[in-house]
Amino acid sequence: MKQIKAASQEEVFQNLPIPAALRVMIVPAVTSQLIVLIYNMADTFYVGQTNNPYMVASTSLILPVFNITLCLAGLAGIGGGALIARLLGEGRGEEAKRVSAFSLYLGMAIAAAFSLGMALFMEPILKLLGANANTYEFARQYAACVIVVGGIPTVLSNVLSNLIRSIGRSREAGFGIILGGVLNIALDPLFMFVLLPEGHQVLGAGIATCLSNCVACGFFLLVLRRMGSASIITFSPRVGLAQRESILAVFAVGVPSAITTFLFDLDYVIIDKLMVSYHDLALAAIGIVLKVERFPLNVGIGICQGMMPVVAYNYAAKNKQRMEDAIRLSRRLGLLIAGISVVLYELFAAQFTRLFISDPQTVEMASQFLRIRVLATPLMFLSFFTVYLFQAFGKGQISLFLGVTRWLVFNIPMLFLLNAVLGMYGIVWSQAAADLLTVALSVFVYCRYKPRI
C-alpha cells in the first residue's frame, strides 16, 4: 500500500506532464471551491426568498466571522500542507508525518479557542460587526450554529483537505468539501421551510451549515482511516513531535496566511460598517455582491491551491523548469477565468442579483455595485497568486509583507479615503483602486525576491 501511494505522489508531482499534473490537482480544488461558494450563497439565496432584507443583512454580517474560522484552518492547513509537499520533494517522509500530526492538533486547538470566545462574547462581537435591533437576533442564531457549534468540524475538515491535497490526493481533498457543500444545499430548504416554524429561516440555514460541515469532517476522518497507518497524514501521536525547524516553518507560512485572510475579512467588516451608515438596503446589496463576486475569486483560489503543492514539491526537488511551467500555466488559467467573469458580470449583473432577492431597490443598487467591483477581479487574482507562490517557496515573511501591505496600506485606507471623497460608491470603487497598487508591488517583489534554483 505504501509503495502505491508513494508512486502516485511521484506520478503527480514529478512525472506527469505539467498540464496533466495541474489538471489532476486543480480540477478537484476548483470544484470544491465552487461548491463552497455555492453553499455559502445558498444560505443567502434561501434567506433571500423570504424577501426580508434584515435576514439577508444578518447572514452578511456573520460572513466575515465565518471566514475567520477558515483563516484559522489556513494557519494549520496551508502552513502544514506547503511544508509537507516540500518535505516529500526532499524525500523526508517521516518528518512529513510528524508535521501532519502537529498541524491537525494545532488546528483543533485554535478552533476550540475561537468557538469558545465567540460563545462568551457573542453580543459585543455582533454589535461591533454592525448588528442592530433589526438584525441582531437573526445574526445571533446563525453565529451560534456555524461558529460556536460548528467551528471545530469546519476548521478540521479544511485542515484535512489542505493536508490531503499536499500529498497529491487532490480528488479526495476536493470531494470532502464538495460533499459538505452539496449536503448544505439540500438541507437548507428542509430546515428553513419545512422543519422550523415561520420566522426561523436564518436559524434553519445555520443548522444546515453546521450539519454539513460535520459530515464533511467525518468523511475526511474516514479517508484517513482507509489510508491506513502508512499514510503521511495522521493523527497518531506515536510518530513523535515535529522538529523545531519544521514547527517554525509551519508557523512561518501559516501565520502570514491566517493574517492575510483575517485582513481580507476585516476589509469586509469595514465595508459592512461603512455601508450600514447609509442604510440597511445598502448593507443587503453589498452583502449580495460580496458573495457573487467570489465566484471567479474562488476559482482563482482553487487554481492556487492545486498549483501550490506542485510548485512546492518541485522547488524542494530543485526541478526549476517544471516549477516554472506550473507557475506560468496556472497564472494564465487564472487570468482567463477572471477576464471571462468581468464580461459576464458586466452584461448580466441584474440577473445574478435577482437570484438572491427580488426587492427592486436592492437589485438596482447591487447591480451597480457588482459592475464596479468585478473590474478588480484580474488584479485580485494576481495579488493572491503571488502570495501563494511565496507560501509554496516557504517564504512566509514575504507573503506576510505582501498581504499586510495589500490590506493595511492599500485596501483599507482606500475604503476610508474614497468613502470620504465619493460617498457610498467610493466604497465600491476602492477595491479596483487599491489592487492596481497591489499588483504593481507584487510584480516588483516577485521579480526581486523569487528564489533562484
Side-chain angles (χ1 to χ4, degrees), residues 24-283:
V24 169
M25 295 297 294
I26 286 176
V27 170
V30 168
T31 304
S32 65
Q33 281 293 319
L34 291 180
I35 294 297
V36 167
L37 176 63
I38 290 171
Y39 92 70
N40 283 335
M41 285 184 174
D43 288 350
T44 303
F45 172 78
Y46 287 120
V47 171
Q49 301 311 298
T50 65
N51 212 30
N52 184 332
Y54 302 121
M55 287 188 175
V56 175
S58 68
T59 58
S60 300
L61 286 173
I62 301 303
L63 177 62
V65 185
F66 180 74
N67 286 339
I68 289 175
T69 64
L70 302 183
C71 97
L72 297 177
L75 192 159
I78 294 178
L83 177 58
I84 288 170
R86 293 198 304 275
L87 289 171
L88 292 176
E90 296 170 358
R92 300 171 61 193
E94 290 304 313
E95 181 63 12
K97 282 187 178 183
R98 291 188 283 268
V99 169
S100 75
F102 171 78
S103 300
L104 289 170
Y105 286 112
L106 174 65
M108 286 192 294
I110 295 174
F114 184 76
S115 295
L116 179 62
M118 190 68 188
L120 294 175
F121 304 104
M122 177 82 74
E123 183 174 353
I125 290 174
L126 293 184
K127 289 183 177 179
L128 179 66
L129 293 173
N132 55 30
N134 295 319
T135 58
Y136 175 80
E137 183 57 27
F138 297 132
R140 185 193 66 79
Q141 294 172 2
Y142 195 67
C145 293
V146 303
I147 298 169
V148 176
V149 178
I152 292 178
T154 298
V155 169
L156 185 56
S157 61
N158 278 273
V159 172
L160 284 166
S161 178
N162 277 289
L163 298 187
I164 290 172
R165 185 181 297 111
S166 73
I167 64 171
R169 289 178 169 266
S170 188
R171 181 179 299 178
E172 291 92 333
F175 184 80
I177 301 299
I178 292 170
L179 174 65
V182 171
L183 185 61
N184 187 79
I185 294 168
L187 291 179
D188 261 344
L190 178 64
F191 280 95
M192 293 173 66
F193 304 116
V194 178
L195 298 180
L196 296 183
E198 179 70 24
H200 291 76
Q201 289 91 340
V202 174
L203 176 61
I207 293 173
T209 299
C210 178
L211 287 177
S212 65
N213 286 329
C214 289
V215 171
C217 185
F219 168 80
F220 285 122
L221 295 176
L222 181 61
V223 168
L224 288 193
R225 181 183 177 89
R226 291 185 174 179
M227 287 166 66
S229 59
S231 170
I232 295 294
I233 311 304
T234 178
F235 278 96
S236 175
R238 288 178 293 183
V239 299
L241 184 64
Q243 296 175 6
R244 182 174 182 273
E245 56 266 31
S246 294
I247 293 175
L248 293 176
V250 170
F251 283 105
V253 171
V255 170
S257 173
I259 290 175
T260 53
T261 305
F262 171 77
L263 292 175
F264 181 94
D265 296 323
L266 178 62
D267 185 65
Y268 274 23
V269 170
I270 293 172
I271 290 173
D272 285 346
K273 291 286 287 184
L274 292 175
M275 279 296 182
V276 80
S277 67
Y278 291 96
H279 44 71
D280 284 333
L281 291 183
L283 177 61

Side-chain angles (χ1 to χ4, degrees), residues 184-421:
N184 187 79
I185 294 168
L187 291 179
D188 261 344
L190 178 64
F191 280 95
M192 293 173 66
F193 304 116
V194 178
L195 298 180
L196 296 183
E198 179 70 24
H200 291 76
Q201 289 91 340
V202 174
L203 176 61
I207 293 173
T209 299
C210 178
L211 287 177
S212 65
N213 286 329
C214 289
V215 171
C217 185
F219 168 80
F220 285 122
L221 295 176
L222 181 61
V223 168
L224 288 193
R225 181 183 177 89
R226 291 185 174 179
M227 287 166 66
S229 59
S231 170
I232 295 294
I233 311 304
T234 178
F235 278 96
S236 175
R238 288 178 293 183
V239 299
L241 184 64
Q243 296 175 6
R244 182 174 182 273
E245 56 266 31
S246 294
I247 293 175
L248 293 176
V250 170
F251 283 105
V253 171
V255 170
S257 173
I259 290 175
T260 53
T261 305
F262 171 77
L263 292 175
F264 181 94
D265 296 323
L266 178 62
D267 185 65
Y268 274 23
V269 170
I270 293 172
I271 290 173
D272 285 346
K273 291 286 287 184
L274 292 175
M275 279 296 182
V276 80
S277 67
Y278 291 96
H279 44 71
D280 284 333
L281 291 183
L283 177 61
I286 197 64
I288 291 171
V289 169
L290 294 179
K291 287 179 180 288
V292 174
E293 73 172 7
R294 288 300 296 263
F295 177 83
L297 297 181
N298 278 42
V299 173
I301 290 171
I303 291 171
C304 293
Q305 288 180 342
M307 169 272 300
M308 188 170 71
V310 179
V311 171
Y313 182 98
N314 285 282
Y315 167 65
K318 302 189 184 304
N319 192 335
K320 178 181 178 181
Q321 187 60 52
R322 189 171 175 82
M323 181 191 78
E324 291 183 345
D325 288 345
I327 293 172
R328 188 181 309 109
L329 184 57
S330 301
R331 183 170 54 232
R332 289 176 181 173
L333 178 61
L335 288 175
L336 175 63
I337 297 296
I340 292 173
S341 71
V342 171
V343 174
L344 291 177
Y345 283 169
E346 292 293 340
L347 294 175
F348 304 109
Q351 288 85 342
F352 282 113
T353 302
R354 288 195 189 97
L355 293 174
F356 299 93
I357 197 167
S358 57
D359 178 68
Q361 286 181 284
T362 308
V363 168
E364 175 63 25
M365 192 177 299
S367 300
Q368 295 176 18
F369 289 173
L370 180 59
R371 290 190 176 99
I372 297 170
R373 291 274 302 187
V374 74
L375 296 175
T377 303
L379 301 172
M380 293 180 73
F381 171 76
L382 288 174
S383 297
F384 61 70
F385 182 81
T386 308
V387 170
Y388 267 89
L389 283 180
F390 282 109
Q391 289 172 351
F393 301 146
K395 308 293 184 181
Q397 290 182 334
I398 296 178
S399 65
L400 177 61
F401 168 75
L402 290 174
V404 169
T405 303
R406 179 186 183 190
W407 300 112
L408 293 185
V409 178
F410 296 145
N411 283 60
I412 293 175
M414 195 70 72
L415 275 171
F416 288 101
L417 174 63
L418 294 188
N419 178 51
V421 175

Side-chain angles (χ1 to χ4, degrees), residues 417-428:
L417 174 63
L418 294 188
N419 178 51
V421 175
L422 301 176
M424 182 172 67
Y425 282 90
I427 299 172
V428 186

